[in-house]
Amino acid sequence: MSKARITTAHVLGPGALGLVFAHQLSTQRNVTLITKATHPTRYYYTFAQHSSALTVNNTSAPKESITEIWLFTKAHQCKSALQSVLGHLHPKANIILSHNGMTNVAELIDLLQPTQGLYFMLTQQAAYKPQSAEVIHVSQGPSTIGAINQVAKKRLDTLMTDWQSAIPLLTKSTDITSARWQKLLINLAINPIATHFNQLNGALRAPQYASDVMALLNEAINVAQKEGVNVVLAEALALVYQVMTNTAKNRCSMLQDKLNGRETEIEAMCGYVVNMARKHGLAAPINELYYQRIKGDKP
């Protein structure tokens, strides 16, 4: 494979996945990590028991024109994060989003110029931060990128060559909306229940959780079908229980956020399903229940 063109990629969000992808992109190009003044000035990356300093530049106030930026934020931070860099974006910039849950991408497209490309990446890469300046990369799972707006669709094939040279197991999605719904269903069936009952993922395979897993999925699938996304309940259930098995000893991200006093992504999961159900005149009582439970309004 030919070497990628040497251009600068900006990465916003020095969380675990932000640092992992900053490291991977830095193997092929220059990387500038956009941080806050309170963040560390140097980061360390560990994979397969080998540690090294991230070879990236750090800035809290980018001055150069940004041609490519990867946003690794929580769903509820996505819009404000994009707004914070709008003034620095090149007229033909490419913006790649990656977060759990669903957001209103129409709002994000409205912020951009018609010549700026918007993409979404789903990833199964796994990592965590034992401390603020260090990331432990647990596994190099597959990732997929798809185009959100029209200009992104025209550029995606060309960009994939560069991105695949840096990011392992990266593929192109021709239907990123359906892929995001499938990821949402997995998150819906695990995160709210595991968080409310303070359980590891594998514990949710127990019979007492089955009816809630089924209801959360069924309500979301009813909404997805109204949105033109075809999902089969039996297939979704099989995938969800396979993920529970594969990640049996994991503590889901929502539970980690709750235990660490951080805002969760419940708004972009159960909250999204509830709001979209109302839009289509549907009921989503179990998603509503878990939304209230995680928000702390209901036992």
Side-chain angles (χ1 to χ4, degrees), residues 149-223:
N149 62 0
Q150 290 301 315
V151 68
K153 290 179 181 178
K154 295 177 181 178
R155 296 177 187 168
L156 185 56
D157 284 340
T158 301
L159 292 168
M160 285 300 296
T161 301
D162 282 0
W163 291 340
Q164 287 173 324
S165 69
I167 301 170
L169 304 176
L170 179 67
T171 58
K172 179 183 74 172
S173 172
T174 56
D175 188 359
I176 196 65
T177 299
S178 293
R180 291 184 70 198
W181 268 101
Q182 290 171 353
K183 180 69 178 293
L184 174 65
L185 293 174
I186 295 170
N187 285 330
L188 272 178
I190 293 175
N191 282 261
I193 302 174
T195 301
H196 179 66
F197 292 102
N198 194 17
Q199 295 286 353
L200 298 180
N201 292 358
L204 304 190
R205 294 172 293 181
Q208 65 261 38
Y209 303 115
S211 62
D212 282 1
V213 169
M214 175 82 78
L216 287 165
L217 287 178
N218 195 49
E219 291 173 4
I221 287 172
N222 288 338
V223 172

Side-chain angles (χ1 to χ4, degrees), residues 13 49 62 66 68 79 82 86 129 136 145 151 164 168 189 195-196 202 209 218 241 277 280 291 294:
Q49 298 183 323
I66 296 174
E68 179 177 304
K79 184 177 180 179
L82 180 57
L86 282 178
K129 293 176 68 176
I136 307 295
I145 287 183
V151 68
Q164 287 173 324
T195 301
H196 179 66
Y209 303 115
N218 195 49
Y241 279 97
H280 293 291
Y291 176 82
I294 303 304

Side-chain angles (χ1 to χ4, degrees), residues 5-71:
R5 296 189 301 274
I6 301 301
T7 58
T8 297
H10 286 73
V11 176
L12 188 155
L17 287 178
L19 295 178
V20 163
F21 281 90
H23 166 77
Q24 291 176 342
L25 291 166
S26 72
T27 64
Q28 297 293 320
R29 61 176 77 184
N30 299 322
V31 172
T32 295
L33 191 64
I34 301 175
T35 61
K36 295 179 180 178
T38 54
H39 287 155
T41 56
R42 195 168 179 81
Y43 291 92
Y44 296 87
Y45 168 87
T46 299
F47 180 66
Q49 298 183 323
H50 175 73
S51 297
S52 61
L54 257 66
T55 53
V56 300
N57 300 310
N58 283 30
T59 182
S60 58
K63 295 179 175 60
E64 70 272 42
S65 179
I66 296 174
T67 57
E68 179 177 304
I69 185 165
W70 300 69
L71 270 60

